[in-house]
Amino acid sequence: MSSENAKSINQSSGERESFKSSFGLLAAAIGSAVGLGNIWRFPYITGKYGGAAFILVYLICVAAIGIPIMLAEFLVGRQSKKDAINSFKELVPGSKWYISGVLGVLAAFMILAFYGVIAGWTLEYIVKSFGNQFAGLGAEEIGKMFSDFVTNPIRPVIWQVIFMAITGIVVATGVEKGIEKYSKLLVPLLLVIVIILDIRAVTLSGGKAGLDFLFKPDFSKITGEAILAALGHSFFSLSLGMGIMITYGSYIPKEEGLGKTSIKVAISDTLIALLAGIAIFPVVFAFGIAPNSGPGLVFITLPNVFAQMPGGYAFSILFFLLLGLAALTSTMSLLEVVVSYTIEKFNMDRKKAVAICTLLITVLGVFASLSNGPLSGEVFFGKNFFDFLDYLTANYFLTIAAFITSLFVGWKLDKKIIKNQLTNEGTINAGYMGIFKFMIKFIAPIAIIIVFLAGIGVI
Ligand code: PHE
């Protein structure tokens, strides 16, 4: 998760190195943001909440709330040079603001539990791709292949455990440095593959209905819950509300413009999500798949394209491989959040902390995985355990943590600090500062409260 040039994130004390190049910093932040959230989660919740109108709300959330919160996290990190919890303690000693960081650690724990399950699915699909198993199958058979797989009590769990073990090994041994170096290659490559899939998807006959679904808003579909889901997903996808961008902020060199960086990360992340939507929804309509198929959507739609496109064999391998790697850069960052907290809190050795955290998260994840099959049933507020974790973390934990961060930066943090951080001690122009202060002080917290109350049905 950290930059190849940065020290490992758990070192919250002592001299901090920083990102040497602005590209290294961008690649690291984008690497954390881009993951299953863009390609798996964004399309499936867009399908669930009805398409274009949801996307419009999502874009507003990213621009009006996501970017200011990201900027707020970056500046808290660069000012304090500390991690998610200690940065608050450093900036306002003796206060309770650090609770936002504690929520973030809890959120990371629960997100990683179900995220690891989906990441495991990508491994199964890499193997299926190598075995050319989609060739010659129709949409129905591909759908059945997916449901047979996820309801199987053993296979998804094995893949999940393998994926979590890989994540644990990476975080324990610090081979992140190697992985990050080549994750600079990974995100651009993923982008290229998605664009190729887009071209295939939009040229499918019957695909146009998919584009209409994505771009012709039907505002009658917008409910309070849909708006809360859009807001929660903007935090999820931008990796906000968990202190990850605080930690990155602590590594950003002082010459780097924080405003520009936030906008670049947000635009890249959003672009990849939209392109993933364009690759998926024309296929959904062309093949008569239900847009609200839920978490399986990408695994049910894209194999249909691979089965029918020239070079589909190679593309399917490459796509699922890249998706798995993009997931790995995100699981690493999630595990790192939990591990660095554990190390500090319990004064524990790093390897031991990794082993314990990975084990606990994996066990929770096994229940999430089984809730798609043998342990299914809508037992948690009308949802199975998997959907419950997914819904709870994005819509509640991240949203509340982001709310606290906006209050902290908007109302508590010394204005001089904000000014110094945004203008790099007065050396660059930050014409947007007035707007930023207004957004973080009023718009973000008020919007979050209203959306939150509407989403849980209070208003
Ligand atoms: N942003 C990542 C994604 O979209 C998920 C993630 C969330 C990673 C929070 C780290 C922290 O897949």
Side-chain angles (χ1 to χ4, degrees), residues 113 116-121 123-124 148-165 361-375 386:
V117 174
I118 311 297
W121 294 358
L123 298 182
E124 166 86 7
D148 285 349
F149 166 61
V150 292
T151 52
N152 183 300
I154 314 238
R155 277 183 86 88
V157 172
I158 291 178
W159 287 124
Q160 178 221 353
V161 169
I162 291 175
F163 202 99
M164 291 300 298
I361 293 169
T362 306
V363 169
L364 190 66
V366 168
F367 286 103
S369 181
L370 294 179
S371 78
N372 288 317
L375 297 185
F386 182 99

Side-chain angles (χ1 to χ4, degrees), residues 6 15 34 36 92-93 119 139 220 223 227 255 266-267 271 285 312 350 380 393 407 449:
E15 190 58 22
V34 173
L36 294 173
V92 187
S220 67
T223 58
I227 300 176
E255 324 62 70
I267 288 180
L271 194 70
F285 286 87
R350 181 170 186 80
F380 294 90
T393 47
L407 290 186
I449 291 226

Side-chain angles (χ1 to χ4, degrees), residues 1 29-42 58 107-108 111 115 233-245 248 269 326-327 329-335 337 398:
M1 82 154 291
I30 293 173
S32 168
V34 173
L36 294 173
N38 308 62
I39 289 172
W40 158 72
R41 198 172 190 276
F42 175 75
Y58 175 72
I111 288 178
Y115 203 96
H233 185 71
S234 71
F235 298 142
F236 185 94
S237 191
L238 297 171
S239 299
L240 299 178
M242 241 173 285
I244 289 187
M245 294 304 175
Y248 278 135
D269 187 71
T329 56
S330 295
T331 54
M332 278 156 45
S333 67
L334 287 160
L335 183 58
V337 171
L398 301 188

Side-chain angles (χ1 to χ4, degrees), residues 51-300:
F54 174 85
I55 292 181
L56 207 63
V57 176
Y58 175 72
L59 295 178
I60 295 172
C61 290
V62 169
I65 306 173
I67 293 175
I69 300 277
M70 187 183 297
L71 184 50
E73 289 200 11
F74 277 153
L75 82 83
V76 164
R78 190 163 71 173
Q79 178 69 30
S80 65
K81 303 256 179 289
K82 292 261 155 42
D83 62 72
I85 293 174
N86 288 302
S87 54
F88 291 97
K89 293 187 178 166
E90 166 89 9
L91 294 178
V92 187
S95 67
K96 291 261 177 281
W97 290 98
Y98 71 89
I99 286 178
S100 153
V102 177
L103 271 178
V105 173
L106 274 175
F109 191 95
M110 290 188 285
I111 288 178
L112 186 49
F114 73 82
Y115 203 96
V117 174
I118 311 297
W121 294 358
T122 66
L123 298 182
E124 166 86 7
Y125 273 69
I126 291 170
V127 172
K128 284 192 189 323
S129 299
F130 269 109
N132 206 8
Q133 291 185 24
F134 312 128
L137 296 189
E140 224 161 272
E141 291 151 306
I142 285 175
K144 184 166 179 308
M145 181 190 249
F146 174 78
S147 59
D148 285 349
F149 166 61
V150 292
T151 52
N152 183 300
I154 314 238
R155 277 183 86 88
V157 172
I158 291 178
W159 287 124
Q160 178 221 353
V161 169
I162 291 175
F163 202 99
M164 291 300 298
I166 296 172
T167 306
I169 290 168
V170 169
V171 173
T173 56
V175 290
E176 284 137 293
K177 293 186 180 183
I179 292 205
E180 274 154 20
K181 206 175 272 169
Y182 100 114
S183 79
K184 284 185 193 167
L185 199 83
L186 181 107
V187 174
L189 202 58
L190 187 65
L191 186 67
V192 171
I193 299 278
V194 172
I195 290 174
I196 293 170
L197 293 177
D198 284 340
I199 295 171
R200 176 69 273 233
V202 299
T203 52
L204 279 174
S205 71
K208 189 174 169 299
L211 293 178
D212 289 347
F213 182 80
L214 279 177
F215 296 113
K216 287 209 177 123
D218 169 1
F219 290 101
S220 67
K221 289 186 177 154
I222 285 299
T223 58
E225 189 187 321
I227 300 176
L228 178 59
L231 183 69
H233 185 71
S234 71
F235 298 142
F236 185 94
S237 191
L238 297 171
S239 299
L240 299 178
M242 241 173 285
I244 289 187
M245 294 304 175
I246 293 183
T247 313
Y248 278 135
S250 72
Y251 296 118
I252 300 179
K254 57 181 189 315
E255 324 62 70
E256 217 52 63
L258 295 183
K260 239 201 264 165
T261 305
S262 317
I263 287 178
K264 282 187 196 160
V265 176
I267 288 180
S268 319
D269 187 71
T270 307
L271 194 70
I272 293 191
L274 290 175
L275 290 172
I278 295 172
I280 287 169
F281 284 101
V283 186
V284 164
F285 286 87
F287 289 90
I289 296 162
N292 59 352
S293 299
L297 191 63
V298 61
F299 296 90
I300 298 171

